[in-house]
Structures are given as structure tokens and as C-alpha cells.
Amino acid sequence: IGAQLDNEYMHSSAPWEMTTGISDEWVPGGSDGIAYLEALRGIAHEVGIDVPFYTATGWGGAPVPDDVLPLWGGYAYRPWLFYAHGGEHPVTDEYLYRDFHANDCPRGAEFDPSYQPEDRPYACCEMGGGMTNSYNYRFVLPMKSVDAMTNIKMGSGCNFLGYYMYHGGTNPTGHGVYLNEGQVPKKSYDYQAGLGEFGQVRESYGRMKTLHYFGRTFAERFVPMDVVVPADQAGITPTDREPLRYCVRTDGRSGFVFLDNFQDHDEMVAKHDETIGITLADGAGTVVIDGIGLAPEENCVLPFNMDLDGVTLAAATVQPVTAITLPGAARRTFVFLRPDGMTRAWMRFADGTMLDVDGDADFQRFTVSDGGATVDVVVLSRAKAGEMTVIDGEALVFAPGAAFRRDGRIVVESTRGDIRVETYPAGYLAAGNGETDIMDGSSPLGSLTVALPEAHVEPTVERLKDNRFAITLPDGFMDGDHVKDMLLQVRYMGDIGWLFAGGELVNDNFCNGDVWEIGMKENAGLVKAAGNRLVLVITPLRKGVNVNVDSPMAARMEHADEQIASLESVAVQPVYEVEFRKS
């Protein structure tokens, strides 16, 4: 449905890796403006790329033709700040609400469009779905930063979500050369994304899904809603930890309050007993949402005057996620989640009915009626919602990892050997042996556990030199029932880790103190051809470096007071996959 014509044209040039640092030669950033993009679109038409939407990045003064959709983004973790300079990473303004669709939206380095914002939709292609480590900036990404970014963008007027990256990957090797910049790893592009380089399922993946389900389920009512940034938000700065950060998407009578308690490169304080008053249009009164609490790093979306198929939810301190129609049911079930830190969670309906939500329960179910209409409501804990997958709009599957459809089956992928799946309604799934999920009597959820044979792989490690190790995997290391992948997990101390098979670079890593994972399924051919033998090289972290350049011509000698290169552990983590069918 769309094609991007160019990326950061006239905004960012690129270093020519063979010369930069020697002659400082760069690939030009461009100078032909809109005419260049129009020429690209002409070429696209000639070769059959004829789509409803043509897009181009809008930031950095990039040119955008009138009928091209400009795309934006936001990064709170910015390795490029350290390419030439040191110091501490500053807090950013990425977690403050704005109306990006308003002409009077504050301009800055990250948002300064060449057009009037009200003339175009506000759409994103590079919301920070993670971030790679660079040589001079190494960190472990806070996974809650990702859906907090989604919340901020949706609340600030974005109806078009695009991430960079949503799924990490591995850079290709060119004809004997590596195709990326020298400031980042040559092969690994894991990006600490919601889905990792080898498909690892991370916390941010589950948290993003709750907002994606919300956007998809309630798009018809949410997308046309305007942004209202309250006046008390204008003075909030990124270093303000105490004030409640919020904004509203509304049609004047109903809407959603977006709240965020995450700030990059800082620690927010828990919020307790906050109150928000919303004055409705045309003298329709005021909605009060009180008792609001949020844990540090949490975000949420709270509804007001939300139509639940004829039952009006006046206000709530739980977040709408989706709606399903259970098999054979005549009405929909609306699914909500209880944000972390919302110690007093409640739902208030237009007829005065008040539901108090248990602050400790993972799953609760209610039935509510109003004026002849009746709906069912399910409220999940934040943790439970993070495990949830909607199947065919009629059921909820809760699994420790990922659940998805494939060839008419429901597949569950997990690093656990005993895979316990829960469903709503109970009895929805059956395992390969015919066993159906069952209720335990204390919960409306069905429960089904598949115990898999343990796929145990024990690598052997041999030290070859001070910073060089041979890792040998046993024959059949990818064998085993229901084994999808084997993740080689390496913990080490040093500067850079390099993993080779038969002299070919398989993966590399800039040490940041976290575990380094390499998928063996994708590299099984290389590894087997090398006799199941991998070579790990650790470039030492050097302290007190001095380079002697007194010798003639090109001769130099480096001396270091201390070199750190140690291998702490090597393990193999199986990734299992089990198929279920509808019962």
C-alpha cells in the first residue's frame, strides 16, 4: 500500500568507510530538493511501483512534496551523540506530550517540519523500538521505554505507528567486506528490539501488543479524535519527576486519557491518588477520574464515556485493550488491563454502577447491564496482558513467549520445557495428543500443560590463548522434539566479542554487560561445516592506553596499563515450539 521514496534526503550524509578518518570523505547529502523525490516517484511508476501512499522522512529539513506523506519518529537513546564526543547522555523530550498535528506545536531539533502540521497527518516510521549499541555508547535498553514511546505518539496525534526496529536482524556480508559503519557491530543488528535478532521474545513485544490491539479494535472511534494537551503540561520539562504527564484524545464527549510515567536517562517517582478533571464540550459537564496511581516506568490509557455496545463506561482506571466475541456468544466481551501501580482500580458506568477491581488478581470477569444492553468485561493484570494473544477475534491465549497462527494451528514458542498455556474461554485448545485445556474450578481460564523432553546441549570450552576460546557443540546439537532453535548464550568481559565458524564471522557484540545470544538454527550450516567448532575472540578492554609514534614512517606501538578480556560462561538455551488446535 505504500513505498518510501528516500530516507533523510538532504538531512544526513554518510561516511565513505574506505576513506573516512583518513581523508574525511563523505557521500553527499543531496541538494535537489523536491525535484529529486519527484524524479524517484517517476522511476517508481515506470517499474510498476504504483501505490496509494508515497512517503519520505520529514525530519531535519528534508523536502516533502505536497502529496507525499511525511514520516516522523523519536529516539530517546542516541548513539550518534557519542560518535565524536564523550560525556553523559542527556535526558530527552521524547516522553512529553505534544499536539504534533497543531500549527502551534513547539518546534525543535526533533520536530521542525517544512510544512504546516495541520496540513498533513502525523505519521511515524522510526519510533524507537529499541536501539543498537555503538562503540562509545553501550547500554541495556529499558524495555518499558518502547511502549511508553507508543503511548506518547498515539496520545500526541499519531494514528500511523512505525518502529525502528520492531524485529532485529543480522547484517549481510558483502563481497568480502562488511556493509555497515564502523561505529556499530559488523554483523549483529539485534537492536534490543521487541523481537530479537534470532526471534527472541522480549518484554517490550508483549507491552506493545496491548496498544496495537487497542488501536486496531477501536480505530473507528479513536482515529478521528483530536488532541488536547492540558495547559499544565506546557511547563513540564524532561527533568521534572513529580508532575503527572498526561494528555487527551477526544471528540468532545468521549475519549481517552494518555498517561506516562517513564523518562529516559532518569528515574520517575511513583504516582499516587492523582485526579484529572475533563470538561466536556457544549456544557455536557465534567468527568472526574480520581485515585490514579502509576508505578515508575508505567504508562496507560484510561477511557471516559466509552460506548461498550450500548453500555456507557463513564470513567475507569483500567486500560481498554480489545474486544472479542466468544464462540457461540451473542455479545462481545471487552478486555481491559490494570496498569502497574494502580492500587485503586475501578470502573464507573453511566447508570452509577461501580466495579472495584482486585489489585492482586491476574484475571477477573464481570457482567454489566444498562438500559437493556448487557456486556461482559474482563480485566487482566499488566503481566497477564503481556502474555495475551487474540485468536480469530474469539478467544484469548496466554502463553510464556509468543503465540501465533500457522497453517490452521496455534503455535506457542517458549524457552520453557514445560509450556503452560491458558485460554479464555476454557476448552478452546487441544494439544497434539488430544488433551483439551481444562478448568481448575478456581478460575474461568482453561489450562493446558505440555511437558517436553529436555533438549540439553552441553558445550565444551577450550582456552586457546588469553583472549581466544574454542566452543565445541555436540553432534546433533539442533536435534530434539519440538526444538525450534538453540541460543548460544555468552557472558564475557571485554571490549568486543567476535564469534567465528571456519574462519567466517558469524556474529559480533559490543560488550554492555548483558548476555550475548546467537541463534544456532540460522548458522547451523556454517557450524556443522566447521566440525561443530566455534572460535570466540574477545578484544580486550584497554585502560591507560599510550601510543608511541616516535618511530619513523608508519611504525607505531601501543602500550596499555591494563587489559580486560575474560569469558565468564557459555551455555545453550533451547527454544521450543508446540502446536495446538482448536478443540
Side-chain angles (χ1 to χ4, degrees), residues 481-503:
D481 292 338
H482 304 285
V483 172
K484 179 178 183 178
D485 203 349
M486 290 285 183
L487 297 175
L488 185 69
Q489 297 180 321
V490 178
R491 288 190 178 275
Y492 73 101
M493 292 181 63
D495 190 13
I496 301 175
W498 313 84
L499 191 67
F500 296 88

Side-chain angles (χ1 to χ4, degrees), residues 200-230:
Q200 304 98 310
V201 179
R202 307 229 166 92
E203 179 188 12
S204 54
Y205 171 76
R207 293 179 66 94
M208 279 188 284
K209 276 205 301 182
T210 61
L211 286 167
H212 298 166
Y213 282 139
F214 166 78
R216 185 170 66 184
T217 305
F218 305 111
E220 289 188 6
R221 67 183 78 176
F222 170 74
V223 166
M225 288 181 170
D226 294 326
V227 176
V228 178
V229 181

Side-chain angles (χ1 to χ4, degrees), residues 94-219:
E94 294 293 351
Y95 295 97
L96 301 179
Y97 292 105
R98 300 177 179 174
D99 184 356
F100 286 113
H101 193 53
N103 288 345
D104 60 356
C105 180
R107 303 296 182 102
E110 306 304 321
F111 184 72
D112 189 15
S114 57
Y115 57 88
Q116 290 289 81
E118 292 175 17
D119 293 344
R120 315 278 184 94
Y122 178 69
C124 287
C125 66
E126 287 196 30
M127 293 156 44
M131 180 50 72
T132 192
N133 281 297
S134 71
Y135 189 77
N136 291 320
Y137 181 47
R138 309 180 187 201
F139 62 100
V140 177
L141 182 86
M143 290 296 158
K144 294 176 183 177
S145 69
V146 180
D147 67 301
M149 175 75 70
T150 308
N151 175 298
I152 289 287
K153 296 301 184 182
M154 292 178 73
S156 298
C158 182
N159 297 327
F160 188 111
L161 304 177
Y163 297 91
Y164 195 91
M165 302 280 292
Y166 187 77
H167 189 335
T170 306
N171 286 318
T173 302
H175 296 288
V177 297
Y178 300 103
L179 304 180
N180 56 316
E181 301 173 8
Q183 288 283 353
V184 293
K186 298 184 182 303
K187 293 290 292 183
S188 178
Y189 207 67
D190 176 80
Y191 216 77
Q192 303 184 68
L195 294 174
E197 180 174 2
F198 301 101
Q200 304 98 310
V201 179
R202 307 229 166 92
E203 179 188 12
S204 54
Y205 171 76
R207 293 179 66 94
M208 279 188 284
K209 276 205 301 182
T210 61
L211 286 167
H212 298 166
Y213 282 139
F214 166 78
R216 185 170 66 184
T217 305
F218 305 111

Side-chain angles (χ1 to χ4, degrees), residues 25-37:
E25 183 178 354
W26 288 68
V27 176
S31 59
D32 294 317
I34 288 175
Y36 171 75
L37 295 177

Side-chain angles (χ1 to χ4, degrees), residues 338 342-343 345 357-364 380-381:
R338 184 186 71 252
M342 197 71 74
T343 52
V357 177
D358 187 341
D360 297 319
D362 279 335
F363 183 101
Q364 297 170 82
L380 309 172
S381 66

